[in-house]
Each structure stands twice: as structure tokens, then as C-alpha cells.
Amino acid sequence: MSDDIGTNGLFDAAGPGVRVGRASRATGETKVEVRWGLDGTGRADLATGVPFLDHMLEQIARHGRFDLAVTASGDLEIDAHHTVEDVGIAMGRAFKEAIGDGAGIVRYASAHAPLDEALVLAVADVSGRPYLHYAVPVTRQRLGAYDTDLTEEFFRAFAVNAGITLHLMLIHGRNGHHIIEAAFKALALVLDRATQRDPRVAGVPSTKGTLA
């Protein structure tokens, strides 16, 4: 990965044992770079070219206590689909690299996140087994320039490339912005909980001796 991603010093103090993943993706449609520090404080440096996506990624960093840097450029003159999906792909790969073999992590977690009338449940297994169950319906098709259908594309790209099992379910809600933001906050909370180190866990948390 190139070193020109604007991290504003996010990772300057990363020392031994601090889990940081990096990923880059370049196609004829997009260029994406990600750095993800699992053991962070909630700082973010985000420039995807999709303001609503930046706002959602900030929720992941802040509420997951992750340090997250993401830059992207893409064919936004067509629409945001390629950019949103490829950001999800790169973030998943960075997360997977940061996890490594998963030794000592909690692995399983669940979390509810509310935002006013909206409530979303996230359940995750950092297992090496990619799967997404997405049941977060939003009736409104656009929020400003953002196509709400792209939210599922982001979560699927992330889950598959992170190698995690992820279930996202809307419990109730009406406002499209609130529902989507609650989903991102739920993801932040569940990833923070699942990636915590548990001193009772010796090695990889699997009877197989390896994740996946």
C-alpha cells in the first residue's frame, strides 16, 4: 500500500501489539486505500468522495474506538455504486489483515444501536466464514445524492472480504437516515466487542485450531 494516504498522524504512535490492517484496491473504476487500527481511540480521516458514506464510516471509527483512514476516487460521474462497494471490499481486507489469525479474540458478539425511533441489531462471528444476512429495509430510495440501496452492497462487500459472518436486522424504524446510521453504529459496536482480547482465550478461539 502506498504511504500517501492522508492519515493525519493516526498511526504514528502504533507500537508492538497494536493491530493495524492495510489494504488498497485499484481498478478501472476506482482507487481505494484503507488503514484500520483496531486498538484505537475513534479517530478518522475519510475522503471517499461520497459525503454520506464518509459520515457513516465516521460512525464505525468513533463508536468502535477504531482509528480509520480511507481515501477513494472513483467514477462518481456515473454513480456511487463502484466507490461504495470497493470501499467495502478494501475495508474488509484491511480488517482481516488487522485480525491476523484471531488469537485471543472474543470472536462472537451482538449489539443493538438506536437512533431516535430506529433500532438495529448486529450479530457477528469473526470466524473466517463470510456471510451476510441483511434485513434492514429502507423505503426511501435516496438521501440527498446517496442511493440507499448501496448500503447493503457496502455491508456485503465488507463481510465477504473481512471473512466474517454478519447479521443485520432492523427491529423498528421509519426515518431512512436514522435506520442506516443505526446499522453502521451497530456494526461499530459489534466489531469492537468481537475483536476485544480475552485473557481467558488461549490461542485461536476455535475447536479446529484455526478460523474458517
Side-chain angles (χ1 to χ4, degrees), residues 1 27 31 44 53 59 69 90 99 129 137 142-143 155 171 190 201 212:
M1 180 178 196
T27 72
K31 179 181 179 182
L53 179 61
Q59 308 310 313
I99 286 294
R129 298 170 62 88
R142 298 190 74 81
L143 294 170
F155 283 120
I171 306 303
V190 82
V201 178

Side-chain angles (χ1 to χ4, degrees), residues 114-164:
L115 180 55
D116 295 346
E117 89 298 341
L119 179 64
V120 174
L121 170 65
V123 182
D125 176 11
V126 182
S127 60
R129 298 170 62 88
Y131 181 81
L132 174 70
H133 173 74
Y134 187 82
V136 187
V138 176
T139 57
R140 187 172 173 180
Q141 292 301 303
R142 298 190 74 81
L143 294 170
Y146 179 78
D147 180 354
T148 59
D149 287 345
L150 297 181
T151 307
E152 182 175 359
E153 299 302 321
F154 171 86
F155 283 120
R156 176 168 290 105
F158 173 75
V160 168
N161 287 273
I164 67 173

Side-chain angles (χ1 to χ4, degrees), residues 27-163:
T27 72
E29 299 164 338
T30 67
K31 179 181 179 182
V32 183
E33 298 192 19
V34 176
R35 292 187 188 179
W36 190 328
L38 296 181
D39 307 300
T41 60
R43 298 176 297 169
D45 185 13
L46 308 166
T48 68
V50 183
F52 187 83
L53 179 61
D54 288 348
H55 180 47
M56 294 302 105
L57 299 185
E58 186 176 11
Q59 308 310 313
I60 294 177
R62 179 64 60 86
H63 299 291
R65 280 70 174 177
F66 302 123
D67 290 340
L68 181 63
V70 182
T71 63
S73 58
D75 52 358
L76 296 179
E77 71 280 3
I78 297 175
D79 64 18
H81 187 286
H82 297 142
T83 298
V84 172
E85 184 176 30
D86 285 4
V87 166
I89 290 170
M91 286 183 61
R93 292 174 180 174
F95 178 86
K96 187 173 184 178
E97 181 181 275
I99 286 294
D101 65 4
I105 66 168
V106 172
R107 177 176 164 176
Y108 298 97
S110 62
H112 287 86
L115 180 55
D116 295 346
E117 89 298 341
L119 179 64
V120 174
L121 170 65
V123 182
D125 176 11
V126 182
S127 60
R129 298 170 62 88
Y131 181 81
L132 174 70
H133 173 74
Y134 187 82
V136 187
V138 176
T139 57
R140 187 172 173 180
Q141 292 301 303
R142 298 190 74 81
L143 294 170
Y146 179 78
D147 180 354
T148 59
D149 287 345
L150 297 181
T151 307
E152 182 175 359
E153 299 302 321
F154 171 86
F155 283 120
R156 176 168 290 105
F158 173 75
V160 168
N161 287 273

Side-chain angles (χ1 to χ4, degrees), residues 12 22 52 165 207:
D12 291 351
R22 305 181 182 190
F52 187 83
T165 295
T207 55

